[in-house]
Amino acid sequence: MTKGHIKLADVAKAAGVSQGTASNVFSRPEVVREEVRERVLGIARELGYNGPDIKGRLLRAGRINAIGVAAIDPLAYFFEDPWARALMTELATVCDATGTGIALVSAQNQQKLAWNINSALVDGFILLCVEGGEKLVELTRRRQLPFIALALGGGDASIPAIGIDNIAGAATVARHLAELGHHRFAILAIGLNSDHVGAVTPEQAVRSLKSTSRDRALGYWQALADFGIGREDVPMYGTQNDRLSVDAALEELFATAKPPTAILAMSDRIALLAMQWLAGRGLAVPGDVSVVGFDGVPEAATAGPGLTTVAQPLQEIARRAVAAILEDAMPPLQEALDVTLIVRGSTAPPRLD
Amino acid sequence: MTKGHIKLADVAKAAGVSQGTASNVFSRPEVVREEVRERVLGIARELGYNGPDIKGRLLRAGRINAIGVAAIDPLAYFFEDPWARALMTELATVCDATGTGIALVSAQNQQKLAWNINSALVDGFILLCVEGGEKLVELTRRRQLPFIALALGGGDASIPAIGIDNIAGAATVARHLAELGHHRFAILAIGLNSDHVGAVTPEQAVRSLKSTSRDRALGYWQALADFGIGREDVPMYGTQNDRLSVDAALEELFATAKPPTAILAMSDRIALLAMQWLAGRGLAVPGDVSVVGFDGVPEAATAGPGLTTVAQPLQEIARRAVAAILEDAMPPLQEALDVTLIVRGSTAPPRLD
DNA sequence: GATTAAGATTGAATCGGTTCAATGAAGTTT
DNA sequence: AAACTTCATTGAACCGATTCAATCTTAATC
């Protein structure tokens, strides 16, 4: 603001000490004689100098004390999406403990994102790879800073990543429903080509789903196969993880002659949206339809009825991710953590008919 | 990682040009002859140099392209508290449009917060002053960067702030209930001394509430006075804006002989928690008790029933706050924006008795 | 009083770039 | 051929600090 900004050198000169000493007064006070320290501090205050400017310190020390969390989505994603939020809460808690700051870096279009990643002032990146993970990894790699990918799903083994066992998780939750006696299932998937409408065949799904979603589909199918239900008997719809696409899918699904009694949603968000749609349609959960989600976000617990879901160990994920960046404690590549089934009120045996 | 990090100077030497030219190749490509540019870029690629390091650029140029959002709360606050989240969503949207990054700076204890504020790499600060606002402002001031306070409430006119008209908002919502025919009110306030238990007298409230809460109380009282209801007839309880304190207050409130038929909550969060408590207690909303909130967070719309509340113009607040920092467009000090009443399902005429 | 050790201070190098006045080279005008 | 432009490039200063080997003080020990 004031154009004649005073810097450390000015203070040093005014106090009649070397710049080195002046620097020590602020950064390593114990090394300078008390009398001198007082004098320098006095002059500094007089001149309106409030301690070393970070920009200078930074250049020398190199360590920024902040980690960047990146995603290919509008910045608002971090505050809107339940999973992202739950994860961020845990990340924030871990960062708090270590005195590390968090910088949000994001953008919808790739060019801007590239710029943002390149100019983010951070010591490393945590990548939320729900969308366009590979691109995100590629952009980050250029920066030559430590990074770790979350929710990346299978693929390239050269990418340091922390993930969860999507197949086992999906299988667990599908088995839960099958054991309750359900026979008619439907899957609400995440992220099929947005222009596609209507149910997709298993072949289409395997081909076009990104790996996280594909693994979850495989898990569902695997568990249901044990109960004699083939994958072609389970209609599957793509959604964009938003209300519009979920509503559209359900609309079509429940227009059929024999609608499902159990819905396998690939995210809690989808599941919660589905429950809202069902409620609006006068269908009782779990009376008419059982619903399960995936992720274990807090909203799943407070919804009415509570949502049965598979919980990710977000706290553990956060802890490891931050450690990976800060302590350069890169995990064994492609680590997959276990998930746990949480049974709540949204699932029950099917109505006898 | 690779210890022998190559820098611009290395590239310049290897390419046989001056460092100045090398710099231009990256920062102002149009000024250097194409042939030279190509050669330098080639060498750079060969050496594994990915463009200028921000830290160096930063020192010279000074502009960071990120704004800090600060609060005296754990970092997780930004992702958990509904109001903070709604605000962050809007801030994020505005920042997205201008290509500005967001750095979260926070801490529970003041010492750490001071450090974090001092070392945050940002061009300016937006202060969430719900808690300990004065302290936050004081710490930020030292940094000598542009800043603007949100939710600060009255007080010091020398602090640039954007606020809302708490008195008018509170009056509006209280009048809405009174016009429906309610006579027995109760107020759930934010942020009385945590050690206090039980209802507080108006005098106590005026003395110990922070200014935002006090203004809302004044608004309630003012509107109710027009309907012949004195402030001493409206029991008021302090809460910490969390479930524990809200439950405790309601527990006591509904143990009385003539419990209220209308609850004035000073935040949507409190209101939503109250509705959950009432539901658990078997009291119907709005059948047995009407509830209103304050803030206008998204959750208020999706709750069942929808929460009647007073909405803050968060988008406008966000827009102005970001403009204030980025364009140094400091607003007229202590600006107060209007709020709007949103009537939903949580309010109805009282049951006749 | 001479010798050491410990502590405080200095000065210059360094971090990794950007910027700008000055220089050089090539082309144009009179 | 001299004078004037234009455009590309150079070299050095600068941004605001930290760091460390070397020097200077002071106090303690023999």
Side-chain angles (χ1 to χ4, degrees):
Chain A
M1 214 98 311
T2 1
K3 48 178 167 291
H5 234 56
I6 46 321
K7 47 188 175 186
L8 186 59
D10 301 329
V11 175
K13 193 165 345 145
V17 299
S18 79
Q19 184 168 331
T21 298
S23 174
N24 283 335
V25 167
F26 292 98
S27 312
R28 296 167 10 189
E30 72 282 2
V31 88
V32 37
R33 199 149 41 95
E34 168 156 3
E35 176 204 326
V36 176
R37 195 191 329 151
E38 289 305 320
R39 181 156 46 93
V40 173
L41 284 175
I43 298 273
R45 198 165 315 128
E46 208 167 294
L47 261 49
Y49 180 80
N50 286 301
D53 183 293
I54 355 104
K55 295 187 310 228
R57 176 209 301 273
L58 173 54
L59 183 52
R60 196 85 239 280
R63 159 74 152 293
I64 297 181
N65 245 290
I67 80 177
V69 186
I72 306 195
D73 277 282
L75 263 178
Y77 168 75
F78 294 109
F79 302 98
E80 282 183 331
D81 182 81
W83 178 78
R85 251 173 43 206
L87 176 64
M88 291 307 297
T89 303
E90 299 297 343
L91 282 175
T93 306
V94 179
C95 286
D96 246 346
T98 62
T100 309
I102 290 184
L104 269 21
V105 4
S106 171
Q108 42 278 69
N109 79 71
Q110 297 213 351
Q111 196 174 12
K112 276 196 171 185
L113 182 59
W115 205 93
N116 286 346
I117 288 186
N118 274 323
S119 59
L121 284 157
V122 296
D123 298 316
F125 288 94
I126 292 177
L127 271 28
L128 270 39
C129 294
V130 284
E131 197 88 14
E134 283 73 22
K135 197 70 196 168
L136 191 51
V137 169
E138 189 192 322
L139 289 175
T140 307
R141 221 172 216 154
R142 297 231 180 89
R143 185 67 193 278
Q144 299 189 147
L145 284 178
F147 73 90
I148 187 149
L150 263 36
L152 180 59
D156 193 339
S158 74
I159 301 172
I162 300 175
I164 55 166
D165 192 335
N166 284 298
I167 299 187
T172 306
V173 77
R175 192 173 310 118
H176 164 69
L177 284 170
E179 283 170 350
L180 284 173
H182 287 275
H183 291 100
R184 295 208 307 279
F185 292 84
I187 297 175
L188 295 180
I190 307 178
L192 280 170
N193 338 8
S194 58
D195 51 346
H196 184 89
V197 218
V200 297
T201 66
E203 295 79 42
Q204 283 177 308
V206 168
R207 201 159 356 97
S208 67
L209 281 177
K210 63 190 284 302
S211 60
T212 298
S213 304
R214 186 169 49 224
D215 284 351
R216 293 184 187 174
L218 291 174
Y220 292 148
W221 290 333
Q222 181 182 302
L224 295 182
D226 294 344
F227 290 81
I229 302 171
R231 54 178 67 179
E232 60 286 344
D233 300 329
V234 183
M236 173 156 157
Y237 285 77
T239 79
Q240 301 314 115
N241 209 27
D242 62 4
R243 164 167 275 128
L244 212 66
S245 53
V246 170
D247 286 358
L250 288 169
E251 205 70 56
E252 211 180 301
L253 198 49
F254 280 85
T256 59
K258 283 254 168 196
T261 64
I263 294 182
L264 296 154
M266 284 199 187
S267 77
D268 285 351
R269 185 173 198 183
I270 293 178
L272 293 168
L273 289 169
M275 282 170 60
Q276 285 181 22
W277 185 90
L278 291 167
R281 204 48 181 269
L283 291 164
V285 175
D288 298 311
V289 185
S290 286
V291 179
V292 299
F294 204 116
D295 288 342
V297 305
E299 288 85 339
T302 58
L307 177 66
T308 293
T309 188
V310 154
Q312 299 194 24
L314 289 182
Q315 192 174 327
E316 182 65 18
I317 292 175
R319 197 197 327 274
R320 294 198 193 197
V322 173
I325 303 304
L326 257 35
E327 299 150 31
D328 223 339
M330 278 307 154
L333 297 183
Q334 304 292 23
E335 185 165 21
L337 273 39
D338 287 334
V339 296
T340 53
L341 177 68
I342 299 181
V343 178
R344 298 205 182 89
S346 71
T347 49
R351 193 186 295 286
L352 308 169
D353 51 6
Chain B
M1 215 95 311
T2 2
K3 49 178 166 290
H5 233 58
I6 36 7
K7 47 188 175 185
L8 186 59
D10 301 329
V11 175
K13 194 167 341 150
V17 298
S18 80
Q19 185 169 332
T21 299
S23 174
N24 283 336
V25 168
F26 292 99
S27 312
R28 295 168 7 187
E30 72 282 0
V31 88
V32 36
R33 197 151 40 98
E34 169 157 3
E35 178 205 324
V36 176
R37 195 192 329 151
E38 289 305 320
R39 181 158 45 90
V40 173
L41 284 175
I43 298 271
R45 199 165 315 127
E46 208 168 294
L47 263 48
Y49 180 80
N50 287 301
D53 184 293
I54 354 105
K55 296 188 308 229
R57 177 209 300 273
L58 173 56
L59 185 51
R60 197 90 241 272
R63 159 73 156 290
I64 296 180
N65 245 289
I67 78 178
V69 185
I72 306 196
D73 277 281
L75 263 179
Y77 167 75
F78 293 109
F79 302 98
E80 282 184 330
D81 181 81
W83 178 78
R85 252 173 42 207
L87 176 64
M88 292 307 297
T89 302
E90 299 298 343
L91 282 176
T93 305
V94 179
C95 286
D96 246 345
T98 62
T100 310
I102 292 185
L104 268 21
V105 3
S106 171
Q108 41 277 71
N109 78 70
Q110 299 214 349
Q111 196 173 12
K112 277 197 171 183
L113 182 59
W115 206 92
N116 287 346
I117 288 186
N118 273 325
S119 59
L121 284 156
V122 295
D123 298 316
F125 288 94
I126 293 177
L127 272 27
L128 270 39
C129 295
V130 284
E131 198 89 12
E134 283 73 21
K135 197 68 195 170
L136 191 50
V137 168
E138 188 192 324
L139 289 174
T140 307
R141 221 173 216 154
R142 296 232 180 88
R143 186 66 194 279
Q144 298 189 147
L145 284 177
F147 73 91
I148 188 150
L150 263 35
L152 179 61
D156 194 338
S158 73
I159 301 172
I162 299 175
I164 55 166
D165 192 335
N166 285 298
I167 298 187
T172 306
V173 78
R175 192 174 310 117
H176 164 70
L177 284 171
E179 283 170 350
L180 285 173
H182 287 274
H183 289 100
R184 294 208 307 279
F185 292 85
I187 297 174
L188 295 179
I190 307 178
L192 280 170
N193 338 9
S194 58
D195 51 347
H196 185 88
V197 217
V200 296
T201 65
E203 296 77 44
Q204 282 177 310
V206 168
R207 201 159 355 98
S208 66
L209 281 177
K210 64 190 280 302
S211 60
T212 298
S213 304
R214 186 169 48 221
D215 283 352
R216 293 186 186 172
L218 291 173
Y220 293 147
W221 290 333
Q222 180 182 305
L224 295 182
D226 294 345
F227 290 80
I229 300 170
R231 56 179 64 180
E232 60 288 344
D233 299 329
V234 184
M236 174 158 158
Y237 284 76
T239 80
Q240 301 313 116
N241 209 26
D242 62 4
R243 165 165 274 127
L244 212 66
S245 52
V246 170
D247 286 0
L250 289 169
E251 205 70 57
E252 209 178 304
L253 200 46
F254 281 84
T256 58
K258 283 252 167 196
T261 64
I263 294 181
L264 296 155
M266 285 198 186
S267 77
D268 285 352
R269 184 171 200 186
I270 293 178
L272 292 168
L273 290 170
M275 281 169 62
Q276 285 181 22
W277 185 90
L278 291 168
R281 205 44 182 270
L283 291 165
V285 175
D288 297 312
V289 185
S290 286
V291 179
V292 298
F294 204 118
D295 286 343
V297 304
E299 288 85 339
T302 58
L307 177 67
T308 293
T309 187
V310 155
Q312 300 194 22
L314 288 182
Q315 192 173 328
E316 182 64 18
I317 292 175
R319 197 198 328 276
R320 295 197 192 197
V322 173
I325 303 304
L326 256 35
E327 299 150 33
D328 223 339
M330 278 306 155
L333 297 182
Q334 304 291 22
E335 187 164 19
L337 273 40
D338 286 335
V339 296
T340 54
L341 177 68
I342 299 181
V343 177
R344 298 204 182 89
S346 70
T347 47
R351 194 186 294 287
L352 307 170
D353 52 0

